[in-house]
């Protein structure tokens, strides 16, 4: 007598009324979620004139330092510009809120008082809600209407270690591991449809369901608190020290340019060294 497990035959209506609807609804929910996230995203707020001036002052110094080894700026102008930035950083001229008071204690900026940081926190929470609520509704819908259904048999062999993953909701120890239950089919689509979303919506889409498992509703809030706002007073202090150090590395790219041009066209004899 053969010990092979009995063969199951599925009703074609299970394919038509359970398998296809679950897959089709999950694809539609992912597409809808992507466009809802786009609608909920608010345009970035414009910086004030003082805030832009604060950021550009830092970038100006960084560019000056990056080109100090072969600078196109003549020595007199380089020294004047570098000294001007050093004095301005020390006096706090470029700070958005003005120069700091001597008697005021230095404290890091509070992200809760920054409107841009608060907007970023709220946007992150709304995005997480759009990500999580549809998945909760989908799981409830499948558990209520399709609990205990066997939907499909996988066309490739698997080990018994996959049985608990592929047959959730069906407590049958003698069923072959290749059969997939309705709840397990939901989880397979949960991760398997991401390639289809990238094909339809591009790589940077909001329909990627795997992000729900790796993030929490408060992850974006923590990122906003760590990233904003920047303490430009400390940044200017560090940049001032870097500028003073880069003055020792300064060389002008136009030094002896006349001799180099004449030597290139053979008007001067080449250097002996």
């Amino acid at each position: 007598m053969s010990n092979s497990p009995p063969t199951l035959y599925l009703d074609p209506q299970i394919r038509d009324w359970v398998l296809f609807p679950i897959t089709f609804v999950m694809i539609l929910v992912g597409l809808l979620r992507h466009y809802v996230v786009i609608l909920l995203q608010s345009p970035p707020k414009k910086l004030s004139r003082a805030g832009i001036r604060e950021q550009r002052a830092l970038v100006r110094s960084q560019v000056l330092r990056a080109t100090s080894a072969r600078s196109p700026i003549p020595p007199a102008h380089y020294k004047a510009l570098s000294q001007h930035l050093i004095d301005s950083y020390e006096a706090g001229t470029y700070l958005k809120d003005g120069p700091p008071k001597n008697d005021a204690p230095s404290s890091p900026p509070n992200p809760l008082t920054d409107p841009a940081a608060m907007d970023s926190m709220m946007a992150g929470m709304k995005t997480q809600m759009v990500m999580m609520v549809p998945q909760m509704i989908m799981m409830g819908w499948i558990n209520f209407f399709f609990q205990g259904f066997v939907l499909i048999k996988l066309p490739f062999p698997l080990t018994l270690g996959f049985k608990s993953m592929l047959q959730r909701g069906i407590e049958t120890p003698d069923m072959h591991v290749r059969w997939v239950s309705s709840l397990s089919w939901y989880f397979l689509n949960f991760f398997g449809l991401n390639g289809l979303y990238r094909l339809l919506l591009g790589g940077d889409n909001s329909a990627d369901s795997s992000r729900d498992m790796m993030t929490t509703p408060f992850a974006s809030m923590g990122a906003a608190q760590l990233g904003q706002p920047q303490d430009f007073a400390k940044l200017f202090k560090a940049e001032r020290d870097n500028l003073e150090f880069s003055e020792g590395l300064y060389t002008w790219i136009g030094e002896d340019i006349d001799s180099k041009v004449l030597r290139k066209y053979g008007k001067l004899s080449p250097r002996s060294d």
Side-chain angles (χ1 to χ4, degrees):
M1 183 175 180
S2 175
N3 294 326
S4 60
T7 303
L8 297 180
Y9 296 96
L10 298 181
D11 192 334
Q13 292 188 0
I14 294 180
R15 175 198 61 195
D16 300 336
W17 296 101
V18 182
L19 178 66
F20 289 165
I22 290 177
T23 306
F24 184 68
V25 169
M26 291 195 68
I27 294 174
L28 288 183
V29 168
L31 297 176
L32 179 63
R33 179 173 53 190
H34 170 74
Y35 291 108
V36 169
V37 170
I38 292 177
L39 291 176
L40 290 178
Q41 288 177 350
S42 56
K45 288 191 173 181
K46 296 182 179 180
L47 286 175
S48 61
R49 180 178 179 274
I52 297 176
R53 181 171 177 260
E54 187 179 50
Q55 293 182 354
R56 297 293 174 81
L58 188 63
V59 173
R60 189 186 312 165
S61 173
Q62 293 172 349
V63 172
L64 188 67
R65 286 192 299 104
T67 58
S68 61
R70 293 179 59 84
S71 177
I73 305 176
H77 297 281
Y78 180 89
K79 297 292 183 181
L81 181 57
S82 177
Q83 190 61 40
H84 169 72
L85 290 174
I86 291 174
D87 295 340
S88 300
Y89 292 159
E90 187 173 1
T93 306
Y94 291 115
L95 290 177
K96 180 173 58 177
D97 299 327
K101 298 180 181 179
N102 295 329
D103 56 348
S106 176
S107 59
N110 186 5
L112 298 179
T113 60
D114 188 5
M118 293 298 296
D119 291 343
S120 177
M121 293 179 191
M122 292 302 297
M125 293 184 66
K126 289 188 293 184
T127 302
Q128 289 298 324
M129 289 298 295
V130 175
M131 290 285 185
M132 296 177 63
V133 171
Q135 300 302 332
M136 297 170 60
I137 296 176
M138 285 286 298
M139 287 192 65
W141 173 61
I142 293 174
N143 279 327
F144 185 80
F145 289 100
F146 308 120
Q147 185 177 12
F149 278 78
V150 178
L151 302 187
I152 192 174
K153 185 178 182 181
L154 298 178
F156 46 85
L158 294 170
T159 61
L160 290 177
F162 291 91
K163 186 175 181 62
S164 60
M165 182 179 70
L166 296 179
Q167 297 177 3
R168 293 195 177 190
I170 301 177
E171 304 298 334
T172 307
D174 56 347
M175 183 181 292
H176 199 279
V177 68
R178 292 165 61 185
W179 291 103
V180 181
S181 66
S182 58
L183 187 59
S184 296
W185 181 249
Y186 161 77
F187 284 108
L188 290 177
N189 284 275
F190 186 85
F191 296 101
L193 289 176
N194 296 330
L196 178 63
Y197 292 143
R198 286 192 293 269
L199 181 64
L200 297 177
L201 304 173
D204 188 15
N205 63 79
S206 302
D208 190 352
S209 304
S210 60
R211 279 181 278 187
D212 300 344
M213 306 294 291
M214 296 183 293
T215 58
T216 63
F218 303 100
S220 58
M221 295 175 58
Q225 290 183 1
L226 292 175
Q228 292 183 352
Q230 292 180 320
D231 190 354
F232 276 91
K234 293 183 178 179
L235 292 176
F236 284 162
K237 182 179 179 180
E239 194 64 28
R240 181 190 62 190
D241 298 337
N242 292 333
L243 275 177
E244 293 176 350
F245 176 76
S246 64
E247 287 186 357
L249 304 176
Y250 168 78
T251 55
W252 183 36
I253 195 173
E255 186 176 1
D256 297 332
I257 188 64
D258 52 348
S259 300
K260 294 178 182 177
V261 172
L262 293 174
R263 189 171 291 110
K264 178 180 179 179
Y265 291 99
K267 302 301 181 181
L268 287 179
S269 57
R271 292 182 178 179
S272 57
D273 53 352

